[in-house]
Amino acid sequence: MDRVDPNLRDEMLAKLFLDQMVSDFKRSKILERIDHSLKNKDKEAFLRLTEELKSVS
């Protein structure tokens, strides 16, 4: 990374950071929905959401 243009490096780091933040946000929302499905004993939603969580993680 030392030889990369500083502007390009900053842009790459910002993109990585934003991608991680979006992923963390999606994961958090899915986990909330999983908790809700457990609370409501909704097996179908739980199974669907756990599969969705696997694709985000």
Side-chain angles (χ1 to χ4, degrees), residues 17-52:
F17 174 77
L18 289 173
D19 287 347
Q20 185 64 50
M21 294 302 295
V22 168
S23 178
D24 290 350
F25 179 78
K26 286 180 181 177
R27 187 173 189 279
S28 165
K29 289 300 175 185
I30 294 169
L31 288 170
E32 285 177 16
R33 291 168 53 205
I34 287 173
D35 287 345
H36 185 72
S37 71
L38 288 170
K39 195 179 298 184
N40 293 329
K41 298 180 170 102
D42 185 347
K43 184 177 179 179
E44 287 181 25
F46 173 79
L47 294 173
R48 180 177 40 80
L49 290 164
T50 54
E51 286 302 314
E52 192 176 329

